[in-house]
Amino acid sequence: MRIERLELRVLRLPLVRFFETSFGRVYDRTFLLVRLDGGGLTAWGECVADDNPYYGSETVETAWHIITQFLASLVVGVEFADPREVYPAMRRVRGHQMAKAALEMAAWDLAARQAGRPLSALLGGTRAEVAAGVSIGIQDSLEQLVDRVGAELSDGYRRIKIKVKPGWDLEAAAAVRERFGDIPLMVDANAAYGLSDAAHLAQFDAFGLMMIEQPLDDDDIVDHAVLQRQLTTAICLDESIHSVRLGRDAIDQGACRIINIKPGRVGGHAESVRLHDLCAARGVPVWHGGMLESGIGRAHNLHLSALPNFSLPGDVAASRRYYQPDLIEPGIEVGPGGLIPVPKGPGIGVEIAMDRVERATLRRREILA
Ligand code: OSB
Ligand code: MG
């Protein structure tokens, strides 16, 4: 496989509904798309970096800089025997997992298209459909939260995650439990707490949650291990797990019992598969996280979610919750039982609506071999 051409675009799309986490409320999403061409085929990847460094340290502009100045020359014009060689080829660049992942994931799409097979088959997927959950942002009132949860449950979603922060936490979980009883429920704090909040966080134990996601800082493992010993609720790490090695360390130290895998956070599909396999070997379940992706990133996520140890419903939801219309046609939909079929065509297996991509594009750069 030889990558002959790289095209990078900055796009902006309005969200169907605002999304609020402990680090703020957003009404639209700015992100990069990567297009790779090779052997007469075209492939796509999406960079999950946002226009701000609030979830993680990367942004659209840092990813643009790192890809154009440093990564492109390590990938464009290079012959790869296997997409697993792409991440190691970028090793001299430290960090910048989201920028690396966008290129690496597009390379997987290219390899799968060249093989004429769905991406999930190359990654080792064993499922034809994946269980969908939803992530519900912080709302203006508990009534609105309960309404949203009700709407998502009637759409068939198999697990509800609510975003929490100091001042919007125990009451939110209580309101959902009171109205909907014993549904599969979890909370995500996006690093909004400190170890000094341990006693407060322990009050979540009363709600029988599936897990509490990323209560403490994104660069922390040890304090999460201290906290986990004080909770009966399982801790799931998201932001803290930037690599397979950090995943290993977190498990070994007892910092979490579950891991959220986002390929953008660990450097792409190959690193995600390695993390998935490590967790499977240690008896740690994983689920696929989401970053408000367009249909292109969403399709990538579905293919990866087909691997066997993605045993909990992920933040892989229908296109229409995010963008209307999406950049793919048809959009991704949730079927009966809250399941989403993994696309069956070659590569990511979705049709890209180029007219919509063009309309949403703010900037474009072409890099040739
Ligand atoms: O922490 O999982 C997160 C969205 C943006 C940044 C971080 C997170 C999220 C979500 C939404 O929870 C997941 C989705 O629906 O795509
Ligand atoms: Mg999270």
Side-chain angles (χ1 to χ4, degrees):
M1 169 176 82
R2 185 167 178 273
I3 296 164
E4 293 151 13
R5 177 179 182 271
L6 164 69
E7 185 186 271
L8 199 56
R9 290 168 185 261
V10 181
L11 286 83
R12 182 169 297 143
L13 285 176
L15 283 164
V16 167
R17 201 175 295 110
F18 72 80
F19 189 73
E20 183 172 330
T21 63
S22 61
F23 49 81
R25 183 177 287 195
V26 292
Y27 295 87
D28 55 35
R29 185 81 166 87
T30 308
F31 56 96
L32 296 177
L33 282 184
V34 169
R35 172 184 161 160
L36 297 180
D37 287 275
L41 295 167
T42 294
W44 294 87
E46 178 169 336
C47 181
V48 299
D50 214 328
D51 64 358
N52 60 64
Y54 303 154
Y55 164 82
S57 60
E58 294 181 79
T59 68
V60 168
E61 295 304 327
T62 69
W64 177 280
H65 169 64
I66 293 294
I67 291 172
T68 57
Q69 299 299 304
F70 301 102
L71 298 177
S73 61
L74 302 174
V75 167
V76 182
V78 178
E79 177 76 37
F80 293 104
D82 188 294
R84 287 171 191 82
E85 295 173 359
V86 176
Y87 183 76
M90 301 184 285
R91 188 177 182 278
R92 63 190 304 201
V93 174
R94 300 289 176 228
H96 297 283
Q97 308 293 52
M98 293 177 178
K100 289 175 177 175
L103 293 184
E104 197 259 8
M105 293 165 78
W108 275 95
D109 184 27
L110 190 61
R113 287 175 197 262
Q114 288 190 352
R117 298 172 72 202
L119 173 57
S120 65
L122 268 72
L123 293 172
T126 54
R127 265 184 256 277
E129 42 195 17
V130 306
V134 278
S135 175
I136 299 177
I138 293 163
Q139 307 292 317
D140 289 325
S141 68
L142 293 175
E143 294 71 40
Q144 281 174 26
L145 174 67
V146 167
D147 286 351
R148 284 245 51 79
V149 172
E152 304 293 7
L153 288 172
S154 52
D155 281 349
Y157 287 102
R158 306 257 292 238
R159 177 226 69 189
I160 299 291
K161 158 169 139 182
I162 59 174
K163 294 290 193 179
V164 293
K165 66 174 181 181
W168 178 272
D169 50 18
L170 301 168
E171 300 75 12
V176 174
R177 275 283 181 250
E178 193 172 311
R179 174 71 181 78
F180 300 104
D182 194 25
I183 58 165
L185 180 66
M186 59 173 289
V187 297
D188 185 359
N190 288 111
Y193 297 90
L195 196 52
S196 59
D197 298 310
H200 179 73
L201 292 169
Q203 294 183 71
F204 275 119
D205 286 343
F207 299 109
L209 303 175
M210 300 167 78
M211 68 195 91
I212 174 167
E213 184 179 349
Q214 196 70 38
L216 309 180
D217 274 340
D218 89 301
D219 64 350
D220 170 75
I221 299 288
V222 172
D223 283 359
H224 276 111
V226 174
L227 178 64
Q228 179 67 92
R229 289 196 284 276
Q230 298 176 48
L231 303 180
T232 55
T233 308
I235 290 177
C236 168
L237 290 180
D238 173 356
E239 282 92 326
S240 290
I241 310 299
H242 293 284
S243 66
V244 180
R245 188 178 293 118
L246 280 168
R248 180 200 67 189
D249 293 349
I251 295 168
D252 285 352
Q253 298 199 32
C256 62
R257 298 188 194 135
I258 299 171
I259 287 181
N260 161 338
I261 297 183
K262 293 176 179 172
R265 204 191 58 231
V266 298
H269 282 310
E271 291 302 288
S272 296
V273 172
R274 290 181 57 228
L275 180 56
H276 162 278
D277 293 350
L278 169 99
C279 290
R282 310 273 174 122
V284 171
V286 303
W287 54 277
H288 204 301
M291 291 290 286
L292 312 177
E293 287 92 342
S294 83
I296 293 170
R298 193 165 298 283
H300 273 282
N301 296 351
L302 286 175
H303 285 277
L304 181 60
S305 300
L307 271 69
N309 193 39
F310 282 92
S311 53
L312 296 164
D315 284 342
V316 285
S319 290
R320 65 187 174 84
R321 292 188 74 247
Y322 305 87
Y323 308 105
Q324 257 173 343
D326 201 339
L327 299 179
I328 58 168
E329 189 60 44
I332 287 159
E333 289 187 29
V334 175
L339 297 172
I340 305 181
V342 180
K344 290 192 168 59
I348 57 173
V350 293
E351 203 62 52
I352 290 146
M354 275 316 294
D355 55 327
R356 295 178 200 155
V357 171
E358 293 294 355
R359 251 180 286 135
T361 297
L362 305 177
R363 195 185 340 150
R364 211 171 68 95
R365 171 88 56 95
E366 182 186 37
I367 296 170
L368 296 171

